[in-house]
């Protein structure tokens, strides 16, 4: 999805948020329960941009109907190299309504969980006022 990819690569959080549906569901690679809603998803994505360095998309795959996208990325979290994939689904209005992330290897996923856990209070504070936030059993 070119607009999303361009917004991420430009670190343009307003543009990223504009591409999210109000009812978007974000499934973290390290949390048991998904997060529902635009405010918390946008705050999580801002948190991710603070903890991942050298982020770059390396491949994009689009489904036949143009509503499903897989964006493969590489980055660093601390001293760990991480490879992952953003799986995006677009609703009928062309907004992201489902956002699932998977990452590897396990050591990088653990480093990501730790780094995002340290960010969770800030993430929750950023999302407050626009939506209720319920923390899952494991931080984003």
């Amino acid at each position: 999805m070119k607009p999303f990819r361009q917004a991420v690569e430009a670190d343009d959080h307003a543009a990223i948020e504009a591409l999210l549906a109000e009812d978007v569901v974000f499934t973290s690679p390290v949390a048991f329960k998904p997060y529902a809603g635009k405010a918390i998803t946008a705050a999580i994505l801002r948190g991710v941009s603070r903890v991942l360095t050298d982020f770059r998309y390396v491949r994009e795959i689009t489904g036949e109907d143009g509503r499903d996208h897989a964006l493969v990325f590489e980055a660093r979290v601390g001293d760990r190299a991480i490879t992952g994939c953003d799986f995006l689904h677009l609703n009928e209005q062309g907004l992201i309504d489902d956002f699932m992330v998977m990452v590897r290897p396990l050591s990088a996923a653990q480093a990501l969980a730790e780094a995002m856990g340290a960010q969770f209070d800030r993430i929750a504070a950023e999302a407050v006022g626009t939506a209720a936030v319920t923390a899952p059993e494991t931080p984003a």
Side-chain angles (χ1 to χ4, degrees):
M1 158 168 209
K2 192 172 184 177
F4 179 78
R5 183 177 180 163
Q6 289 174 330
V8 170
E9 290 171 342
D11 203 30
D12 184 346
H13 293 283
I16 293 168
E17 188 167 350
L19 294 168
L20 300 175
E22 290 297 328
D23 62 347
V24 63
V25 174
F26 179 83
T27 305
S28 164
V30 296
F32 178 71
K33 294 180 183 177
Y35 294 89
K38 183 175 186 172
I40 187 62
T41 299
I44 290 168
L45 295 176
R46 286 189 299 271
V48 168
S49 74
R50 291 189 292 265
V51 302
L52 292 183
T53 58
D54 301 327
F55 185 94
R56 66 198 166 284
Y57 284 117
V58 296
R59 187 175 329 148
E60 183 172 346
I61 303 162
T62 301
E64 289 182 23
D65 66 0
R67 292 178 63 184
D68 289 295
H69 303 271
L71 299 168
V72 180
F73 64 85
E74 294 175 350
R76 297 194 69 73
V77 56
D79 64 349
R80 301 281 180 189
I82 190 167
T83 302
C85 190
D86 293 338
F87 294 96
L88 310 175
H89 179 269
L90 306 180
N91 65 17
E92 292 178 4
Q93 292 74 41
L95 298 175
I96 299 166
D97 64 356
D98 188 41
F99 193 130
M100 179 174 60
V101 181
M102 294 186 169
V103 297
R104 65 159 311 279
L106 178 59
S107 62
Q110 291 167 328
L112 179 62
E114 183 178 325
M116 289 301 291
Q119 291 275 321
F120 194 79
D121 287 344
R122 180 175 176 182
I123 289 167
E126 288 178 6
V128 169
T130 53
V133 177
T134 303
E137 295 171 18
T138 304

